[in-house]
Amino acid sequence: MRFRLVSLGLAALPLVAACAVTPAATPGHAPARSEAAFSEDLTRRTFDYFWDTTSRERCLAPDRWPSNPFSSIAATGFALTAFGIGAERGYVTREAAAVRTRDCLRFYWTAPQGEAATGFTGHKGFFYHFLRNADGTRHANTELSTVDTSLFLGGALFAQSYFDRDDAVEAEIRDLAEKIYRRVDWAWAQRSRTGTQARNLADSHAIAMGWKPGTGWLTHDWVGYNEGMLVYVLALGSPTHPVGKEAWDKGWAAELEKDWGSYYGQAHLQFEPLFGHQYSHVWVDFRGIRDAFMTGKGIDYFENSRRATLAQRAYGADNPGKWVGYSDSIWGWTASDGPTAAGSGRAVNGTARKFTGYAARGVSAHRVVDDGTIVPTAAGGSIPFAPEVTIPALMAMRATQGERLYARYGFKDAFNPSYTFADAGSRSGTVEPVRGWVANDYLGIDQGPILTMMENHRSGLVWKVMRRNPHIVRGLRRIGFTGGWLDKAVTPD
């Protein structure tokens, strides 16, 4: 299992014309009537999601909203990044964003860490995947997550480099981010696993996906192409508890050749849900820098993600499963909510179908996981890779589904035009007999890539800021990345 446990030089395909249909405006927002206006409208709405819903007392960004069953440490990393974006765009003052960021980092620096099963927010510097809204401690039986901690740290290190002014609040932000990062014991997540606890061999060099009190390490490591790149950049960049280069070479990257393939004419590393091609790219500018594997392929990881994005669009245009609504302008698959199995067995275009709930949907040469559900963050998180097809796709989604999909905080998590079974209903969304199912909730880890990657496309803000973060520079260099902006970066050691 390569994707996260549930708790893209080739020519672009023809451009999709911007949709002229505009739904009614929601309160406080004017309707978007052009690609530029749409991009701004989507940015503002999605920023508002994080600003409005992240609790101020404990900085707990909801895993999903409005149901809000618990907080997600990864969503909080996106919230920390959103605060800086909002300040840069003038949605809030820099001072207000700085205070919220400082208070957030204060909470996570002082939140209890320990190995007991309850009453703690994390252990060994890592954080639990989900946290209780009541007090910010471990939710239920959730795991101590290395990747979700990494997504949080992406936001913390962005804040460290963005808030660079000589005043007390911003200085404290930088200090808190440094202490939180230095506390993480990456070597513990690598060296403690032996024998049956290691994914492949007793001498596995890879980093574990997670750990639970009482039972220890989960059975899977970050091995092969996936969103785990950021885990390794941060683990190798640590000034206090780093792992060695063998963690990348003999762990994450050891099986990359097995992941290489071609899908719809695009040769790239295969990973069916697009989040695996997006998450690490939120905070790391992979344009023009290469490790040994990509040097051998003659491209970089940014181009790899572009190709994965274009392959998904081609799949949508081809629509081999004959789902309703797929086209070269309505496409995109990644982890998301779904209509659940209530309508399974019903026929769509003459074929009996199976529908699922939350799942890591996606398409690749290795596997297709598709139940007719389309996910806006699949295109939204890939905006910088292929803006000529992703932004028009988002506009087309908004035009076809209107305000039932595109509302106060931008895009609801997913929609399924094939699931029109209003009599079967859906606990996870609403169903119309013509336009189908739309999710009830926004998901924090799906809102985050839309906001941050739209900003990277529009201004490059997050990438520019992170190119001067010494820990990111150190981690990339220790892995063996060279070229482009990295060769010009100031050496942190």
Side-chain angles (χ1 to χ4, degrees):
M1 185 172 177
R2 296 264 175 91
F3 49 82
R4 184 156 52 108
L5 299 177
V6 172
S7 25
L8 290 158
L10 300 183
L13 294 172
L15 293 179
V16 180
C19 298
V21 180
T22 303
T26 53
H29 295 285
R33 299 185 182 279
S34 69
E35 188 170 299
F38 169 77
S39 298
E40 171 60 20
D41 189 67
L42 177 59
T43 297
R44 180 57 194 262
R45 290 173 189 249
T46 314
F47 164 78
D48 285 348
Y49 170 85
F50 289 103
W51 190 257
D52 293 351
T53 69
T54 303
S55 68
R56 293 173 182 263
E57 181 181 3
R58 297 186 179 89
C59 193
L60 297 169
D63 178 64
R64 52 178 62 238
W65 186 270
S67 63
N68 193 21
F70 40 74
S71 174
S72 158
I73 193 65
T76 303
F78 284 115
L80 283 166
T81 312
F83 296 165
I85 292 172
E88 194 71 11
R89 290 217 159 260
Y91 302 154
V92 295
T93 66
R94 183 181 178 103
E95 291 74 18
V99 167
R100 285 199 69 173
T101 300
R102 180 207 55 197
D103 293 349
C104 184
L105 294 176
R106 276 182 178 175
F107 174 76
Y108 287 99
W109 172 243
T110 59
Q113 292 253 331
E115 60 184 345
T118 60
F120 292 95
T121 299
H123 180 51
K124 294 283 188 177
F126 294 97
F127 295 100
Y128 285 104
H129 189 166
F130 298 130
L131 302 174
R132 298 174 69 243
N133 289 330
D135 59 7
T137 61
R138 182 191 187 201
H139 170 75
N141 194 39
T142 190
E143 82 281 7
L144 198 75
S145 173
T146 53
V147 71
D148 291 279
T149 296
S150 295
L151 298 178
F152 171 82
L153 291 173
L157 294 182
F158 169 78
Q160 180 184 56
S161 291
Y162 178 77
F163 291 104
D164 58 357
R165 292 183 181 175
D166 186 18
D167 67 55
V169 173
E170 297 197 13
E172 188 176 356
I173 289 171
R174 296 191 294 274
D175 178 62
L176 288 166
E178 187 72 14
K179 290 191 290 190
I180 290 169
Y181 177 60
R182 284 175 173 264
R183 181 174 61 184
V184 181
D185 193 344
W186 302 98
W188 172 74
Q190 178 197 32
R191 68 181 176 222
S192 297
R193 292 163 297 105
T194 59
T196 58
Q197 285 189 308
R199 178 182 183 274
N200 294 320
L201 302 172
D203 61 350
S204 171
H205 294 277
I207 292 173
M209 286 188 170
W211 175 91
K212 290 185 176 183
T215 58
W217 297 104
L218 303 184
T219 57
H220 292 77
D221 298 344
W222 290 108
V223 175
Y225 181 70
N226 47 48
E227 74 274 28
M229 277 197 296
L230 183 62
V231 175
Y232 286 91
V233 172
L234 295 175
L236 271 83
S238 173
T240 51
H241 306 288
V243 298
K245 190 174 184 296
E246 77 283 349
W248 179 273
D249 294 342
K250 297 180 181 180
W252 188 84
E255 299 182 2
L256 288 184
E257 196 60 52
K258 296 179 182 178
D259 296 326
W260 188 262
S262 184
Y263 195 58
Y264 280 92
Q266 304 285 354
H268 62 284
L269 288 166
Q270 304 291 299
F271 188 83
E272 48 273 7
L274 275 179
F275 74 76
H277 300 276
Q278 298 169 347
Y279 280 174
S280 296
H281 293 257
V282 167
W283 294 281
V284 181
D285 183 0
F286 285 101
R287 295 174 299 175
I289 66 173
R290 300 175 180 177
D291 65 347
F293 181 83
M294 280 304 184
T295 297
K297 296 299 181 182
I299 63 171
D300 54 37
Y301 285 101
F302 179 93
E303 172 62 20
N304 192 81
S305 293
R306 173 176 169 81
R307 294 181 182 187
T309 299
L310 296 177
Q312 277 216 4
R313 185 194 182 221
Y315 172 89
D318 184 39
N319 191 13
K322 295 181 172 54
W323 294 102
V324 175
Y326 288 16
S327 69
D328 61 358
S329 59
I330 302 288
W331 55 271
W333 300 275
T334 190
S336 77
D337 280 344
T340 73
S344 293
R346 304 290 186 94
V348 176
N349 286 331
T351 302
R353 307 290 185 165
K354 179 180 179 181
F355 298 96
T356 60
Y358 189 89
R361 296 168 171 83
V363 298
S364 74
H366 295 166
R367 187 168 69 155
V368 172
V369 182
D370 182 12
D371 70 341
T373 300
I374 300 164
V375 193
T377 195
S382 286
I383 288 170
F385 307 136
E388 73 280 10
V389 298
T390 52
I391 297 176
L394 293 171
M395 295 178 71
M397 293 176 201
R398 183 202 59 174
T400 59
Q401 292 292 331
E403 62 185 9
R404 66 195 295 258
L405 176 66
Y406 189 77
R408 178 178 181 181
Y409 294 130
F411 286 102
K412 297 288 186 67
D413 190 53
F415 64 105
N416 191 316
S418 295
Y419 192 94
T420 57
F421 314 115
D423 61 320
S426 170
R427 288 182 295 178
S428 60
T430 60
V431 186
E432 290 185 1
V434 175
R435 290 189 293 178
W437 172 89
V438 170
N440 287 330
D441 278 334
Y442 305 90
L443 265 64
I445 60 170
D446 289 348
Q447 291 285 86
I450 294 174
L451 174 64
T452 54
M453 294 301 258
M454 176 66 88
E455 190 60 37
N456 277 331
H457 166 63
R458 298 178 75 191
S459 71
L461 174 67
V462 183
W463 288 337
K464 290 175 184 177
V465 167
M466 295 301 276
R467 287 201 298 260
R468 64 176 188 259
N469 186 277
H471 306 305
I472 296 297
V473 172
R474 184 188 303 112
L476 289 168
R477 285 181 171 161
R478 286 178 175 174
I479 287 171
F481 278 91
T482 59
W485 67 267
L486 187 59
D487 289 349
K488 302 173 184 178
V490 176
T491 304
D493 292 322

